[in-house]
Amino acid sequence: MKNNIDLQSLAEQLSCPNGDEGIEVGEQMSESNFGMTKMTIDHLQLQNQEQILELGHGNCKHLPYVLNQAQGLEYIGLELSQVMKNSAIMNNSDYLNSSIRFEIIMDERIHFYEKRFDKIFTVNTIYFWKNPKLFLSEIYRVLKFNGKFALTFAKKEFMETLPFIQFGFNLYTEDEVIKLLKSAKFSIEDTKTFSESVISKAGEKVEREYSIIIAKK
């Protein structure tokens, strides 16, 4: 029973980190997800002066990597977790200004005007979306015409091997994600599959397969 409680607690922290434990989980996520995040940013091919939105930025130690891709970027990060927003601010205090900021998202509505962003990306958040169709329609709404959205996630086959996914995780195959994106009016520009060795949350070395889907408005 205790093991289940521990796993459920871990799953809840992965969904929305909170408290001191949340800070530690945020550090672990930052380390284990950096390869996926870096690859996602690379595939967005950021250009000078673009407006970038990230959904679920965690402690955002990857922000310098984003900003080094091009000149004059505007970056806004949205997070459910106040702890992660605070960590991101602390980790990036040298970069913050009117064009670089972090905000809280309260639900699956994105409170920006239509056609606001050139590029949007999110890494390992889709498992926790309560209403994927609504959220994707919101992402589509705030994306500029010809803008790109990069959605990165670990494949269902890999996720099913993890001991905590029974607690609040919604798993997807690549085909299922593509179907969701198309139902939100996105066109699919590219799909890539990668494999990497990472240390799991249980401390074991595992081979993780993940997909990056580049969708276009």
Side-chain angles (χ1 to χ4, degrees):
M1 184 67 173
K2 184 178 187 302
N3 284 343
N4 274 351
I5 293 172
D6 291 344
L7 290 173
Q8 184 169 1
S9 175
L10 174 58
E12 290 169 356
Q13 288 288 0
L14 292 171
S15 171
C16 184
N18 64 87
D20 291 341
E21 184 181 351
I23 295 173
E24 184 179 339
V25 168
E27 286 289 332
Q28 293 172 354
M29 285 195 292
S30 177
E31 291 177 13
S32 66
N33 291 341
F34 186 75
M36 294 176 75
T37 303
K38 178 179 178 291
M39 197 67 74
T40 303
I41 295 163
D42 290 347
H43 279 75
L44 276 177
Q45 299 178 321
L46 303 182
Q47 305 296 314
N48 293 347
Q49 313 303 322
E50 286 187 326
Q51 288 79 46
I52 315 301
L53 177 67
E54 181 177 8
L55 304 166
H57 53 71
N59 68 17
C60 208
K61 286 190 173 181
H62 56 273
L63 180 62
Y65 189 82
V66 175
L67 300 180
N68 284 335
Q69 301 305 303
Q71 296 181 354
L73 294 176
E74 178 185 13
Y75 170 96
I76 298 175
L78 294 185
E79 253 295 342
L80 283 171
S81 166
Q82 184 67 50
V83 166
M84 288 297 93
K85 178 189 172 184
N86 293 346
S87 292
I89 289 171
M90 184 176 66
N91 289 330
N92 297 286
S93 58
D94 291 343
Y95 299 99
L96 299 183
N97 56 49
S98 60
S99 296
I100 311 292
R101 64 188 192 272
F102 302 101
E103 299 182 7
I104 290 292
I105 184 170
M106 301 303 295
D107 51 33
E108 290 181 338
R109 295 193 181 277
I110 301 173
H111 299 289
F112 291 104
Y113 56 79
E114 290 184 8
K115 301 172 186 173
R116 172 70 170 82
F117 298 98
D118 297 287
K119 306 280 174 66
I120 301 175
F121 72 101
T122 190
V123 177
N124 283 338
T125 68
I126 190 173
Y127 328 113
F128 310 114
W129 297 358
K130 293 185 171 33
N131 191 334
K133 290 183 179 179
L134 170 63
F135 201 37
L136 286 172
S137 70
E138 282 288 277
I139 294 167
Y140 186 89
R141 181 182 64 79
V142 301
L143 192 62
K144 292 180 181 179
F145 182 67
N146 280 330
K148 293 182 181 181
F149 169 48
L151 198 169
T152 301
F153 61 101
K155 290 194 170 187
K156 184 176 183 178
E157 296 84 352
F158 167 77
M159 293 295 290
E160 286 175 336
T161 68
L162 303 178
F164 47 77
I165 53 92
Q166 60 183 302
F167 302 106
F169 281 70
N170 296 309
L171 308 183
Y172 297 90
T173 65
E174 203 171 84
D175 287 343
E176 288 169 339
V177 173
I178 288 172
K179 186 176 179 180
L180 278 172
L181 286 163
K182 287 182 175 179
S183 72
K185 301 182 181 177
F186 284 100
S187 60
I188 306 303
E189 183 176 87
D190 199 7
T191 301
K192 298 287 188 183
T193 297
F194 299 92
S195 182
E196 61 178 358
S197 295
V198 295
I199 303 301
S200 73
K201 302 301 181 296
E204 301 171 344
K205 188 174 182 179
V206 294
E207 198 69 21
R208 173 168 64 188
E209 273 206 343
Y210 67 92
S211 294
I212 300 176
I213 299 178
I214 304 294
K216 194 171 182 179
K217 183 168 180 176

Short mmCIF file of all heavy atoms in Angstrom, two decimals, residues 29-75:
data_model
loop_
_atom_site.label_atom_id
_atom_site.label_comp_id
_atom_site.label_asym_id
_atom_site.label_seq_id
_atom_site.Cartn_x
_atom_site.Cartn_y
_atom_site.Cartn_z
N MET A 29 13.11 16.33 -13.55
CA MET A 29 12.47 16.44 -14.85
C MET A 29 13.33 17.27 -15.80
O MET A 29 13.44 16.95 -16.99
CB MET A 29 11.08 17.08 -14.71
CG MET A 29 10.02 16.15 -14.15
SD MET A 29 8.34 16.78 -14.41
CE MET A 29 8.32 18.21 -13.32
N SER A 30 13.92 18.34 -15.28
CA SER A 30 14.77 19.19 -16.11
C SER A 30 15.93 18.39 -16.69
O SER A 30 16.26 18.50 -17.88
CB SER A 30 15.30 20.36 -15.28
OG SER A 30 16.18 21.17 -16.02
N GLU A 31 16.55 17.56 -15.86
CA GLU A 31 17.68 16.75 -16.30
C GLU A 31 17.25 15.67 -17.30
O GLU A 31 17.87 15.48 -18.35
CB GLU A 31 18.38 16.12 -15.10
CG GLU A 31 19.11 17.12 -14.21
CD GLU A 31 19.74 16.47 -13.00
OE1 GLU A 31 19.82 15.22 -12.97
OE2 GLU A 31 20.14 17.20 -12.07
N SER A 32 16.18 14.95 -16.95
CA SER A 32 15.78 13.82 -17.80
C SER A 32 15.12 14.27 -19.10
O SER A 32 15.16 13.56 -20.10
CB SER A 32 14.83 12.88 -17.04
OG SER A 32 13.60 13.52 -16.76
N ASN A 33 14.54 15.47 -19.11
CA ASN A 33 13.83 15.94 -20.30
C ASN A 33 14.66 16.86 -21.18
O ASN A 33 14.19 17.28 -22.25
CB ASN A 33 12.55 16.70 -19.90
CG ASN A 33 11.50 15.77 -19.31
OD1 ASN A 33 11.57 14.55 -19.49
ND2 ASN A 33 10.55 16.33 -18.59
N PHE A 34 15.89 17.20 -20.76
CA PHE A 34 16.62 18.22 -21.51
C PHE A 34 16.89 17.79 -22.94
O PHE A 34 16.79 18.60 -23.87
CB PHE A 34 17.95 18.57 -20.82
CG PHE A 34 18.65 19.71 -21.51
CD1 PHE A 34 18.20 21.01 -21.36
CD2 PHE A 34 19.73 19.49 -22.35
CE1 PHE A 34 18.82 22.06 -22.02
CE2 PHE A 34 20.36 20.54 -23.01
CZ PHE A 34 19.90 21.83 -22.84
N GLY A 35 17.23 16.53 -23.14
CA GLY A 35 17.47 16.05 -24.50
C GLY A 35 16.23 16.21 -25.37
O GLY A 35 16.32 16.66 -26.52
N MET A 36 15.08 15.82 -24.86
CA MET A 36 13.82 15.97 -25.60
C MET A 36 13.52 17.44 -25.88
O MET A 36 13.09 17.81 -26.97
CB MET A 36 12.67 15.35 -24.80
CG MET A 36 12.74 13.85 -24.64
SD MET A 36 11.41 13.18 -23.59
CE MET A 36 10.00 13.27 -24.69
N THR A 37 13.75 18.27 -24.86
CA THR A 37 13.44 19.69 -25.00
C THR A 37 14.36 20.34 -26.03
O THR A 37 13.91 21.10 -26.90
CB THR A 37 13.58 20.40 -23.64
OG1 THR A 37 12.71 19.76 -22.69
CG2 THR A 37 13.21 21.86 -23.75
N LYS A 38 15.65 20.04 -25.95
CA LYS A 38 16.62 20.60 -26.90
C LYS A 38 16.27 20.18 -28.32
O LYS A 38 16.30 21.00 -29.25
CB LYS A 38 18.03 20.12 -26.52
CG LYS A 38 19.14 20.58 -27.45
CD LYS A 38 20.49 20.06 -26.94
CE LYS A 38 21.63 20.44 -27.88
NZ LYS A 38 21.55 19.73 -29.17
N MET A 39 15.95 18.92 -28.51
CA MET A 39 15.61 18.43 -29.84
C MET A 39 14.34 19.11 -30.37
O MET A 39 14.23 19.44 -31.56
CB MET A 39 15.42 16.91 -29.80
CG MET A 39 15.47 16.25 -31.15
SD MET A 39 17.11 16.31 -31.93
CE MET A 39 17.98 15.07 -30.96
N THR A 40 13.39 19.34 -29.48
CA THR A 40 12.15 20.02 -29.87
C THR A 40 12.44 21.43 -30.33
O THR A 40 11.94 21.89 -31.37
CB THR A 40 11.18 20.05 -28.68
OG1 THR A 40 10.93 18.71 -28.24
CG2 THR A 40 9.85 20.69 -29.07
N ILE A 41 13.25 22.15 -29.56
CA ILE A 41 13.62 23.53 -29.92
C ILE A 41 14.35 23.54 -31.26
O ILE A 41 14.08 24.40 -32.12
CB ILE A 41 14.48 24.15 -28.80
CG1 ILE A 41 13.65 24.28 -27.52
CG2 ILE A 41 15.04 25.51 -29.22
CD1 ILE A 41 14.48 24.48 -26.26
N ASP A 42 15.25 22.60 -31.46
CA ASP A 42 15.98 22.53 -32.74
C ASP A 42 15.02 22.38 -33.92
O ASP A 42 15.21 23.01 -34.97
CB ASP A 42 16.94 21.34 -32.73
CG ASP A 42 18.13 21.53 -31.80
OD1 ASP A 42 18.35 22.67 -31.34
OD2 ASP A 42 18.83 20.54 -31.52
N HIS A 43 13.99 21.56 -33.74
CA HIS A 43 13.07 21.30 -34.85
C HIS A 43 12.12 22.46 -35.12
O HIS A 43 11.49 22.51 -36.18
CB HIS A 43 12.29 20.01 -34.59
CG HIS A 43 13.05 18.77 -34.94
ND1 HIS A 43 14.08 18.28 -34.18
CD2 HIS A 43 12.97 17.95 -36.01
CE1 HIS A 43 14.59 17.19 -34.74
NE2 HIS A 43 13.93 16.98 -35.85
N LEU A 44 12.01 23.39 -34.20
CA LEU A 44 11.17 24.57 -34.44
C LEU A 44 11.85 25.59 -35.35
O LEU A 44 11.19 26.46 -35.90
CB LEU A 44 10.80 25.24 -33.10
CG LEU A 44 9.61 24.67 -32.36
CD1 LEU A 44 9.41 25.40 -31.04
CD2 LEU A 44 8.33 24.76 -33.20
N GLN A 45 13.18 25.50 -35.46
CA GLN A 45 13.93 26.40 -36.33
C GLN A 45 13.55 27.87 -36.06
O GLN A 45 13.04 28.57 -36.94
CB GLN A 45 13.70 26.04 -37.81
CG GLN A 45 14.17 24.62 -38.14
CD GLN A 45 13.91 24.22 -39.57
OE1 GLN A 45 12.88 24.55 -40.15
NE2 GLN A 45 14.84 23.50 -40.17
N LEU A 46 13.80 28.30 -34.85
CA LEU A 46 13.42 29.66 -34.44
C LEU A 46 14.15 30.71 -35.27
O LEU A 46 15.32 30.56 -35.61
CB LEU A 46 13.74 29.86 -32.95
CG LEU A 46 13.07 28.86 -31.98
CD1 LEU A 46 13.43 29.21 -30.54
CD2 LEU A 46 11.56 28.84 -32.17
N GLN A 47 13.41 31.78 -35.58
CA GLN A 47 13.94 32.87 -36.39
C GLN A 47 13.94 34.17 -35.59
O GLN A 47 13.21 34.32 -34.61
CB GLN A 47 13.09 33.05 -37.66
CG GLN A 47 12.93 31.79 -38.49
CD GLN A 47 14.23 31.28 -39.07
OE1 GLN A 47 15.02 32.06 -39.61
NE2 GLN A 47 14.49 29.97 -38.96
N ASN A 48 14.75 35.12 -36.03
CA ASN A 48 14.86 36.41 -35.34
C ASN A 48 13.48 37.07 -35.15
O ASN A 48 12.64 37.03 -36.05
CB ASN A 48 15.76 37.37 -36.12
CG ASN A 48 17.21 36.90 -36.15
OD1 ASN A 48 17.60 36.01 -35.41
ND2 ASN A 48 18.00 37.51 -37.02
N GLN A 49 13.29 37.64 -33.98
CA GLN A 49 12.12 38.46 -33.65
C GLN A 49 10.82 37.65 -33.49
O GLN A 49 9.75 38.24 -33.40
CB GLN A 49 11.88 39.57 -34.70
CG GLN A 49 13.10 40.37 -35.10
CD GLN A 49 13.79 41.04 -33.93
OE1 GLN A 49 13.15 41.53 -33.02
NE2 GLN A 49 15.13 41.04 -33.97
N GLU A 50 10.90 36.33 -33.42
CA GLU A 50 9.67 35.55 -33.29
C GLU A 50 9.14 35.57 -31.86
O GLU A 50 9.89 35.77 -30.90
CB GLU A 50 9.89 34.10 -33.74
CG GLU A 50 10.00 33.98 -35.25
CD GLU A 50 10.04 32.54 -35.73
OE1 GLU A 50 10.61 31.68 -35.03
OE2 GLU A 50 9.53 32.29 -36.83
N GLN A 51 7.83 35.34 -31.75
CA GLN A 51 7.16 35.23 -30.46
C GLN A 51 6.96 33.75 -30.14
O GLN A 51 6.30 33.03 -30.90
CB GLN A 51 5.80 35.96 -30.48
CG GLN A 51 5.90 37.48 -30.50
CD GLN A 51 6.21 38.02 -31.88
OE1 GLN A 51 5.61 37.61 -32.86
NE2 GLN A 51 7.15 38.94 -31.97
N ILE A 52 7.49 33.32 -28.99
CA ILE A 52 7.51 31.90 -28.63
C ILE A 52 6.67 31.68 -27.38
O ILE A 52 6.77 32.44 -26.41
CB ILE A 52 8.95 31.43 -28.33
CG1 ILE A 52 9.93 31.92 -29.40
CG2 ILE A 52 8.99 29.91 -28.15
CD1 ILE A 52 9.61 31.49 -30.80
N LEU A 53 5.87 30.63 -27.38
CA LEU A 53 5.10 30.22 -26.20
C LEU A 53 5.47 28.79 -25.85
O LEU A 53 5.44 27.91 -26.71
CB LEU A 53 3.59 30.30 -26.48
CG LEU A 53 2.66 29.84 -25.35
CD1 LEU A 53 2.75 30.78 -24.15
CD2 LEU A 53 1.21 29.73 -25.83
N GLU A 54 5.81 28.57 -24.58
CA GLU A 54 6.04 27.21 -24.10
C GLU A 54 4.98 26.87 -23.06
O GLU A 54 4.71 27.64 -22.15
CB GLU A 54 7.43 27.04 -23.48
CG GLU A 54 7.66 25.61 -23.01
CD GLU A 54 9.04 25.34 -22.44
OE1 GLU A 54 9.81 26.31 -22.25
OE2 GLU A 54 9.33 24.16 -22.16
N LEU A 55 4.42 25.69 -23.19
CA LEU A 55 3.38 25.20 -22.28
C LEU A 55 3.99 24.15 -21.37
O LEU A 55 4.42 23.09 -21.84
CB LEU A 55 2.22 24.62 -23.08
CG LEU A 55 1.60 25.59 -24.11
CD1 LEU A 55 0.71 24.85 -25.07
CD2 LEU A 55 0.83 26.69 -23.39
N GLY A 56 4.06 24.45 -20.06
CA GLY A 56 4.65 23.51 -19.10
C GLY A 56 6.16 23.57 -19.11
O GLY A 56 6.83 22.58 -19.42
N HIS A 57 6.74 24.72 -18.75
CA HIS A 57 8.18 24.94 -18.87
C HIS A 57 8.99 24.34 -17.73
O HIS A 57 10.21 24.29 -17.80
CB HIS A 57 8.48 26.43 -18.96
CG HIS A 57 7.88 27.25 -17.86
ND1 HIS A 57 8.33 27.20 -16.56
CD2 HIS A 57 6.85 28.13 -17.87
CE1 HIS A 57 7.60 28.02 -15.82
NE2 HIS A 57 6.70 28.60 -16.57
N GLY A 58 8.35 23.89 -16.63
CA GLY A 58 9.11 23.37 -15.49
C GLY A 58 10.01 24.44 -14.91
O GLY A 58 9.65 25.61 -14.88
N ASN A 59 11.21 24.06 -14.47
CA ASN A 59 12.10 25.07 -13.89
C ASN A 59 12.86 25.85 -14.96
O ASN A 59 13.62 26.76 -14.65
CB ASN A 59 13.07 24.44 -12.88
CG ASN A 59 14.09 23.51 -13.51
OD1 ASN A 59 14.32 23.51 -14.72
ND2 ASN A 59 14.72 22.69 -12.67
N CYS A 60 12.67 25.51 -16.21
CA CYS A 60 13.11 26.26 -17.39
C CYS A 60 14.62 26.55 -17.40
O CYS A 60 15.04 27.63 -17.83
CB CYS A 60 12.33 27.57 -17.53
SG CYS A 60 12.21 28.12 -19.27
N LYS A 61 15.41 25.58 -17.02
CA LYS A 61 16.86 25.75 -17.15
C LYS A 61 17.30 25.73 -18.62
O LYS A 61 18.45 26.03 -18.93
CB LYS A 61 17.59 24.67 -16.35
CG LYS A 61 17.52 24.92 -14.85
CD LYS A 61 18.45 23.98 -14.09
CE LYS A 61 18.50 24.37 -12.61
NZ LYS A 61 19.41 23.47 -11.84
N HIS A 62 16.36 25.40 -19.50
CA HIS A 62 16.66 25.37 -20.92
C HIS A 62 16.43 26.73 -21.60
O HIS A 62 16.68 26.86 -22.80
CB HIS A 62 15.79 24.32 -21.63
CG HIS A 62 14.33 24.50 -21.41
ND1 HIS A 62 13.67 23.96 -20.31
CD2 HIS A 62 13.37 25.18 -22.11
CE1 HIS A 62 12.39 24.29 -20.36
NE2 HIS A 62 12.19 25.03 -21.44
N LEU A 63 15.98 27.74 -20.86
CA LEU A 63 15.69 29.03 -21.49
C LEU A 63 16.89 29.61 -22.23
O LEU A 63 16.72 30.11 -23.35
CB LEU A 63 15.16 30.03 -20.45
CG LEU A 63 14.83 31.42 -21.01
CD1 LEU A 63 13.72 31.35 -22.06
CD2 LEU A 63 14.43 32.38 -19.89
N PRO A 64 18.11 29.59 -21.65
CA PRO A 64 19.25 30.13 -22.42
C PRO A 64 19.41 29.45 -23.77
O PRO A 64 19.79 30.11 -24.76
CB PRO A 64 20.44 29.85 -21.50
CG PRO A 64 19.86 29.82 -20.12
CD PRO A 64 18.51 29.20 -20.28
N TYR A 65 19.13 28.14 -23.83
CA TYR A 65 19.23 27.44 -25.12
C TYR A 65 18.22 27.99 -26.12
O TYR A 65 18.53 28.16 -27.30
CB TYR A 65 19.02 25.93 -24.91
CG TYR A 65 19.33 25.12 -26.15
CD1 TYR A 65 20.64 24.78 -26.46
CD2 TYR A 65 18.32 24.73 -27.02
CE1 TYR A 65 20.94 24.06 -27.61
CE2 TYR A 65 18.60 24.00 -28.17
CZ TYR A 65 19.91 23.67 -28.46
OH TYR A 65 20.20 22.97 -29.61
N VAL A 66 17.00 28.26 -25.64
CA VAL A 66 15.97 28.86 -26.51
C VAL A 66 16.46 30.20 -27.05
O VAL A 66 16.44 30.45 -28.26
CB VAL A 66 14.64 29.06 -25.75
CG1 VAL A 66 13.63 29.80 -26.63
CG2 VAL A 66 14.06 27.74 -25.28
N LEU A 67 16.91 31.06 -26.15
CA LEU A 67 17.25 32.43 -26.53
C LEU A 67 18.49 32.51 -27.40
O LEU A 67 18.67 33.49 -28.13
CB LEU A 67 17.45 33.28 -25.26
CG LEU A 67 16.21 33.37 -24.34
CD1 LEU A 67 16.52 34.23 -23.13
CD2 LEU A 67 15.00 33.91 -25.10
N ASN A 68 19.33 31.47 -27.38
CA ASN A 68 20.53 31.45 -28.22
C ASN A 68 20.24 31.05 -29.67
O ASN A 68 21.14 31.10 -30.52
CB ASN A 68 21.58 30.50 -27.64
CG ASN A 68 22.30 31.10 -26.45
OD1 ASN A 68 22.39 32.31 -26.31
ND2 ASN A 68 22.81 30.24 -25.58
N GLN A 69 19.00 30.66 -29.95
CA GLN A 69 18.68 30.19 -31.31
C GLN A 69 18.53 31.32 -32.31
O GLN A 69 18.72 31.12 -33.51
CB GLN A 69 17.37 29.37 -31.28
CG GLN A 69 17.39 28.15 -30.39
CD GLN A 69 18.53 27.22 -30.70
OE1 GLN A 69 18.66 26.75 -31.83
NE2 GLN A 69 19.38 26.96 -29.72
N ALA A 70 18.15 32.50 -31.83
CA ALA A 70 17.92 33.62 -32.74
C ALA A 70 17.93 34.91 -31.93
O ALA A 70 17.91 34.88 -30.69
CB ALA A 70 16.58 33.45 -33.46
N GLN A 71 17.93 36.03 -32.63
CA GLN A 71 17.98 37.33 -31.96
C GLN A 71 16.58 37.90 -31.77
O GLN A 71 15.68 37.69 -32.57
CB GLN A 71 18.83 38.31 -32.79
CG GLN A 71 20.29 37.89 -32.91
CD GLN A 71 21.10 38.89 -33.71
OE1 GLN A 71 20.57 39.84 -34.27
NE2 GLN A 71 22.41 38.68 -33.78
N GLY A 72 16.43 38.66 -30.67
CA GLY A 72 15.19 39.40 -30.44
C GLY A 72 13.97 38.55 -30.21
O GLY A 72 12.84 38.97 -30.50
N LEU A 73 14.15 37.36 -29.66
CA LEU A 73 13.00 36.49 -29.40
C LEU A 73 12.17 37.01 -28.23
O LEU A 73 12.72 37.49 -27.23
CB LEU A 73 13.46 35.06 -29.10
CG LEU A 73 14.14 34.29 -30.23
CD1 LEU A 73 14.60 32.93 -29.72
CD2 LEU A 73 13.20 34.12 -31.42
N GLU A 74 10.87 36.86 -28.35
CA GLU A 74 9.98 37.03 -27.19
C GLU A 74 9.61 35.63 -26.72
O GLU A 74 9.21 34.79 -27.54
CB GLU A 74 8.72 37.80 -27.55
CG GLU A 74 7.77 37.94 -26.36
CD GLU A 74 6.44 38.59 -26.70
OE1 GLU A 74 6.13 38.73 -27.91
OE2 GLU A 74 5.71 38.94 -25.77
N TYR A 75 9.74 35.38 -25.42
CA TYR A 75 9.41 34.07 -24.86
C TYR A 75 8.45 34.25 -23.70
O TYR A 75 8.70 35.04 -22.78
CB TYR A 75 10.69 33.36 -24.36
CG TYR A 75 10.41 32.11 -23.55
CD1 TYR A 75 10.42 30.85 -24.14
CD2 TYR A 75 10.10 32.19 -22.18
CE1 TYR A 75 10.13 29.70 -23.40
CE2 TYR A 75 9.82 31.05 -21.44
CZ TYR A 75 9.85 29.81 -22.05
OH TYR A 75 9.56 28.68 -21.30
#
